[in-house]
Amino acid sequence: MSARTARQAWHRAVPATAVAAGFLAVLVSYSGPLLIYLSAADAMSVSNGTFSSWVFAISIAAGLSSILLSLWLRLPIAMAWSAPGTVLLISGGASLSIPEMIGAYLAVAVALVLIGLSGLFERLVEVLPPVVTNGMMAGILFGFGLAAARGLASDPVTVMSLLAAFVVFSVALPRYAMLCLLVFAVVVTAMESNLPLARLGLSMASPEMAYPGFSLSAMLGLALPLLITTLSGQYLPGMAILRANGFVVSARPILIFGGIASAGAALFGGITTALASITAAFCAGPDSHADPAKRYLAGVACGLFFCLGGIFSGTIVDLLVVLPAEIIALLAGLALLGPIQKFLSDMVAGGDSHAGLLTFLFTTSGVSLYGIGAAFWGVAVGLAVFHLTRWLRKMRAGIERR
């Protein structure tokens, strides 16, 4: 077989569009959700080496699970890390030790496997009213998004220039807006600080084993909200995207693989692995391949690029830490605008808005009681208000019928 014939056979077997879709999904993940994760690491005052281990863990876990699930199910399964879960670390992570954080991750991993084995995913999601979960998600993301504006006081020129660039990129290249903005921010920061970006080279990962510790405050303040946000903010919309593109699949194998991958990632400090929600559309949509039967190749490509990113996580971290903390907060906040808008609009559009608004307020408040974070109390208040309202309405209807 000639070289030309071999290349043609390769392009037929692995279309460039599928490879590009997988690559784009990974780039968007690294240019948006990873910035939120970096902000969480800053809030917890972890070293660059430790954060590099975290990036290695979440990248390899997402990569291997994407490859295995896509090849097994012959579906475009793109896995990632729990982006809304990383926001929980901003408020709750600082009050927990690293072992407690790892223990919470492992608890969530076990819960995902059990939920997958039991087949109770859809039923469990139904138990949590959408108005409450939307209020909690909006509160978690909104509280973090507020930090995006605080850099205006310390560096107004850079912040305003990045905001202007964000508007331009959002209109001209909406799909690639955050990627373009990240590149622009690195260039602007390098020019202002005379940073020698050319000296940045390839830096391999240096994984650090982490050992778990377990506490009630970590289970209720981090593990429980992380499980809820992962199911409602990652798996639920991710499954909806797959089904909207014509792929009928049970959530059971995805949850089981996600839980196993999460347990592996936790041992190196990585947060929970989950079905991608936003970036899943890149691999599942028609842009990845005209033939739905071959779109699974985009999921495989996504996994391979994630594994490559995990191997060279040191380089990724070296590049990201070039950015000042206020710029990272701004970029991460801008990356959350879409999800914040979605959860707020869904919360207001749904019934029982009082339950959603109170969930939102208590979650956003950042209040901590008995060492348990605000996300738990927001859900607790929201559920109490939701069920009390429903009970009172039934009582009133019964009285009026008499």
Side-chain angles (χ1 to χ4, degrees):
M1 181 184 293
S2 65
R4 181 177 180 180
T5 305
R7 285 196 300 270
Q8 290 175 344
W10 166 258
H11 286 306
R12 285 194 298 269
V14 185
T17 53
V19 176
F23 184 59
L24 180 59
V26 173
L27 276 181
V28 171
S29 296
Y30 281 146
S31 62
L34 192 60
L35 290 169
I36 304 169
Y37 204 20
L38 178 57
S39 294
D42 286 340
M44 299 178 69
S45 301
V46 302
S47 66
N48 292 345
T50 299
F51 182 62
S52 174
S53 179
W54 293 4
V55 176
F56 164 82
I58 61 174
S59 299
I60 297 298
L64 291 179
S65 55
S66 295
I67 294 170
L68 293 174
L69 282 168
S70 296
L71 288 174
W72 178 33
L73 301 175
R74 282 297 193 268
L75 295 173
I77 307 298
M79 302 293 282
W81 54 92
S82 179
T86 60
V87 183
L88 286 169
L89 296 178
I90 303 292
S91 57
S95 62
L96 299 175
S97 66
I98 297 296
E100 286 178 314
M101 182 186 72
I102 304 305
Y105 293 166
L106 288 174
V108 174
V110 172
L112 290 175
V113 172
L114 293 176
I115 292 170
L117 290 172
S118 66
L120 294 176
F121 170 65
E122 284 80 6
R123 295 181 186 177
L124 184 61
V125 172
E126 290 175 359
V127 170
L128 296 168
V131 67
V132 174
T133 56
N134 287 330
M136 181 196 67
M137 293 291 294
I140 292 170
L141 301 182
F142 186 80
F144 176 71
L146 290 175
R150 292 173 185 152
L152 186 65
S154 59
D155 194 353
V157 175
T158 303
V159 168
M160 293 307 296
S161 64
L162 288 175
L163 284 174
F166 173 73
V167 174
V168 172
F169 293 140
S170 297
V171 174
L173 299 165
R175 178 174 284 189
Y176 313 100
M178 283 309 303
L179 177 61
C180 295
L181 186 63
L182 176 59
V183 174
F184 180 73
V186 171
V187 172
V188 169
T189 302
M191 292 175 61
E192 289 182 347
S193 307
N194 295 319
L195 294 173
L197 291 180
R199 296 183 183 177
L200 288 176
L202 293 179
S203 178
M204 303 285 284
S206 298
E208 300 176 357
M209 282 287 290
Y211 297 95
F214 300 94
S215 68
L216 181 62
S217 60
M219 293 300 105
L220 296 180
L222 179 58
L224 182 59
L226 178 57
L227 178 63
I228 295 173
T229 58
T230 301
L231 291 174
S232 61
Q234 295 279 156
Y235 280 101
L236 191 61
M239 293 298 299
I241 288 172
L242 287 172
R243 290 166 182 168
N245 284 278
F247 300 107
V248 179
V249 59
S250 169
R252 294 183 66 177
I254 303 176
L255 282 161
I256 293 170
F257 266 77
I260 295 172
S262 297
L267 297 178
F268 295 93
I271 199 169
T272 303
T273 304
L275 182 63
S277 54
I278 300 171
T279 54
F282 294 122
C283 298
D287 289 341
S288 66
H289 201 287
D291 183 2
K294 294 184 178 180
R295 291 179 195 169
Y296 77 94
L297 294 170
V300 175
C302 174
L304 290 173
F305 285 120
F306 263 133
C307 288
L308 191 63
I311 293 171
F312 295 103
S313 61
T315 300
I316 295 174
V317 172
D318 288 343
L319 182 62
L320 291 180
V321 297
V322 164
L323 299 172
E326 60 270 15
I327 300 303
I328 293 172
L330 174 65
L331 294 175
L334 293 176
L336 290 172
L337 283 182
I340 290 172
Q341 181 183 17
K342 176 186 181 301
F343 288 117
L344 280 175
S345 61
D346 289 348
M347 178 189 71
V348 175
D352 300 296
S353 58
H354 282 171
L357 285 169
L358 286 170
T359 303
F360 171 76
L361 290 176
F362 274 80
T363 303
T364 308
S365 70
V367 64
S368 177
L369 185 62
Y370 305 120
I372 302 171
F376 172 81
W377 297 114
V379 172
V381 169
L383 287 174
V385 172
F386 178 84
H387 290 294
L388 179 60
T389 302
R390 289 292 179 91
W391 180 75
L392 289 174
R393 285 174 180 169
K394 288 182 180 179
M395 291 287 292
R396 179 179 178 181
I399 294 172
E400 289 177 350
R401 282 196 296 269
R402 295 176 186 174

